[in-house]
């Protein structure tokens, strides 16, 4: 129980907060110093809250997503899926984005741009009856995500923290009701594994009732340490939110299961989580790996993907 984020419960803190012999910069200063992060060009092409990445930073975005997909498919058994980025109103309604959050979405003709791959992935089982021997279903997708951020106007206007277009690797599980609580713990651990592979310090919070989202019955937030935020004093920022939605979405989309010895159908339970937000992971790598000379040291798990151990100024 609780009223707002101040009542959330700290579950665990993992990793060591880096110590610097200089005042750490935020990702905007680092990225622009590298000559590979251009917000002015993003504004020219699309408007405020867009960015153009180039050179090593563009490759880093791709490398992060590939590491995430490789980990979730090869180690945790998620099926890589490439869903549409445009969906219809029925699909948006099934996962709870419509009608409540219409102002936060982008609408074009009779389609909606997805705010997260949770929407198309979860709706794969809409109007289906799944045999229990097929459960659990676990899917992961790397997609662009689009949010108008109408409900958060004026927040995080600097840099890449909150943009209209961003990329994310999403995790979705479709499970028997008896398994959803255990699946939430498993999904959260899968997301945490990425941060551990990248040597990024983080903490896990259990959200109270007043801070839990519309569709969820229980949520864990994972927050990564960003040393360049708050004028170099650092702070934790959300990088993943893993939720057990129980039967809420399944009821809306008529997603059911049937036991082999039971003629009745019952509603499935659905779960979703970021595994992780790619842009915020890039931010965390820049701020935690920054060096006084402006270069950025990369964790060992990315060296093979990047072909180097550091980011340097683009010539």
């Amino acid at each position: 129980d609780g009223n707002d984020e101040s009542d959330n419960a700290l579950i665990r803190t993992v990793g060591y907060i880096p110590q610097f012999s200089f005042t750490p910069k935020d990702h905007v200063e680092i990225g622009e110093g590298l000559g590979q992060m251009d917000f002015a060009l993003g504004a020219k092409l699309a408007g405020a809250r867009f960015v153009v990445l180039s050179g090593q930073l563009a490759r880093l975005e791709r490398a992060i997503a590939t590491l995430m997909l490789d980990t979730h498919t090869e180690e945790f058994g998620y099926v890589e899926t490439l869903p549409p980025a445009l969906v219809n109103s029925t699909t948006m309604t099934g996962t709870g984005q419509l009608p409540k959050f219409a102002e936060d979405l982008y609408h074009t003709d009779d389609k909606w741009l997805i705010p997260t791959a949770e929407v198309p992935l979860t709706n794969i089982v809409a109007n289906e009856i799944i045999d229990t021997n097929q459960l659990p279903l676990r899917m992961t997708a790397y997609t662009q995500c689009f949010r108008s951020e109408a409900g958060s106007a004026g927040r995080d206007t600097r840099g890449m923290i909150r943009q209209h277009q961003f990329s994310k690797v999403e995790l979705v599980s479709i499970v028997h009701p008896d398994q959803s609580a255990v699946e939430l713990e498993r999904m959260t651990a899968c997301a945490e594994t990425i941060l551990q592979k990248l040597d990024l310090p983080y903490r896990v919070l259990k959200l109270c009732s007043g801070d839990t989202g519309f569709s969820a019955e229980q949520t864990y937030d994972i927050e990564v340490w960003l040393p360049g935020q708050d004028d170099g004093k650092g702070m934790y920022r959300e990088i993943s939110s893993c939720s057990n939605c129980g039967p809420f979405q399944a009821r809306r989309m008529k997603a059911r299961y049937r036991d082999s010895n039971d003629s009745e159908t019952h509603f499935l339970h659905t779960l979703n989580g970021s595994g992780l937000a790619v842009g915020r992971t890039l931010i965390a790598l820049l701020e935690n790996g920054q060096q006084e000379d402006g270069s950025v040291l990369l964790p060992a798990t990315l060296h093979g993907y990047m072909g180097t151990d550091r980011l340097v100024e683009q010539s």
Side-chain angles (χ1 to χ4, degrees):
D1 290 336
N3 297 316
D4 52 39
E5 62 182 18
S6 64
D7 293 322
N8 293 340
L10 176 63
I11 303 301
R12 56 186 167 272
T13 301
V14 180
Y16 298 96
I17 291 175
Q19 302 298 313
F20 298 92
S21 60
F22 57 94
T23 301
K25 301 174 181 177
D26 72 0
H27 66 282
V28 179
E29 292 179 88
I30 299 167
E32 290 180 339
L34 293 169
Q36 301 170 41
M37 182 181 290
D38 197 327
F39 293 96
L41 184 53
K44 171 187 173 182
L45 297 174
R49 296 200 180 190
F50 291 91
V51 67
V52 175
L53 302 179
S54 62
Q56 287 181 309
L57 285 190
R59 180 169 179 171
L60 180 58
E61 159 102 8
R62 175 163 51 93
I64 292 168
T66 304
L67 171 68
M68 292 176 182
L69 289 173
D70 288 349
T71 300
H72 296 314
T73 56
E74 295 170 10
E75 297 183 24
F76 301 125
Y78 286 86
V79 176
E80 184 173 351
T81 310
L82 185 59
L86 282 166
V87 297
N88 58 36
S89 295
T90 301
T91 298
M92 280 289 192
T93 303
T95 41
Q97 277 71 28
L98 288 180
K100 186 176 176 68
F101 301 108
E103 67 170 5
D104 285 324
L105 304 170
Y106 284 110
H107 192 208
T108 173
D109 299 323
D110 63 338
K111 300 291 190 295
W112 301 81
L113 285 163
I114 60 169
T116 165
E118 166 205 339
V119 177
L121 291 183
T122 309
N123 273 276
I124 286 175
V125 296
N127 299 303
E128 300 288 338
I129 299 174
I130 309 297
D131 194 277
T132 51
N133 61 19
Q134 296 177 265
L135 299 175
L137 301 176
R138 297 186 178 114
M139 296 166 279
T140 184
Y142 167 55
T143 65
Q144 295 298 311
C145 305
F146 305 89
R147 299 182 186 180
S148 71
E149 299 292 355
S152 57
R155 290 177 56 200
D156 299 320
T157 56
R158 176 176 168 81
M160 290 177 60
I161 293 286
R162 193 179 297 276
Q163 296 205 293
H164 293 310
Q165 176 183 336
F166 59 97
S167 60
K168 186 154 63 82
V169 171
E170 186 74 358
L171 304 173
V172 164
S173 295
I174 312 295
V175 304
H176 189 283
D178 293 347
Q179 296 301 311
S180 63
V182 173
E183 187 70 13
L184 178 60
E185 303 296 329
R186 182 186 192 276
M187 178 178 284
T188 305
C190 293
E192 288 182 70
T193 297
I194 303 298
L195 292 168
Q196 293 163 12
K197 283 176 176 274
L198 295 174
D199 297 323
L200 292 171
Y202 68 92
R203 66 183 184 183
V204 179
L205 303 173
K206 184 177 183 179
L207 301 195
C208 70
S209 56
D211 199 31
T212 300
F214 174 61
S215 301
E217 64 179 35
Q218 186 172 102
T219 297
Y220 288 115
D221 271 5
I222 304 174
E223 298 181 338
V224 68
W225 177 256
L226 299 180
Q229 302 298 301
D230 195 19
D231 296 324
K233 293 189 286 290
M235 64 190 301
Y236 285 101
R237 296 300 303 261
E238 180 190 334
I239 198 168
S240 174
S241 188
C242 297
S243 297
N244 180 4
C245 296
F248 176 84
Q249 294 176 328
R251 280 199 180 95
R252 293 170 78 97
M253 63 178 67
K254 297 181 173 61
R256 294 158 289 167
Y257 71 93
R258 178 186 284 120
D259 288 313
S260 56
N261 59 351
D262 187 358
S263 61
E264 296 295 316
T265 62
H266 310 274
F267 289 115
L268 292 158
H269 280 198
T270 64
L271 301 93
N272 63 79
S274 305
L276 306 160
V278 177
R280 291 195 179 188
T281 305
L282 185 146
I283 290 170
L285 290 169
L286 292 182
E287 295 195 7
N288 283 277
Q290 64 181 294
Q291 305 297 300
E292 193 165 10
D293 65 0
S295 66
V296 177
L297 292 182
L298 296 171
T301 47
L302 287 177
H303 294 177
Y305 292 99
M306 289 294 296
T308 183
D309 66 348
R310 71 181 63 222
L311 308 178
V312 296
E313 185 176 355
Q314 191 167 273
S315 57

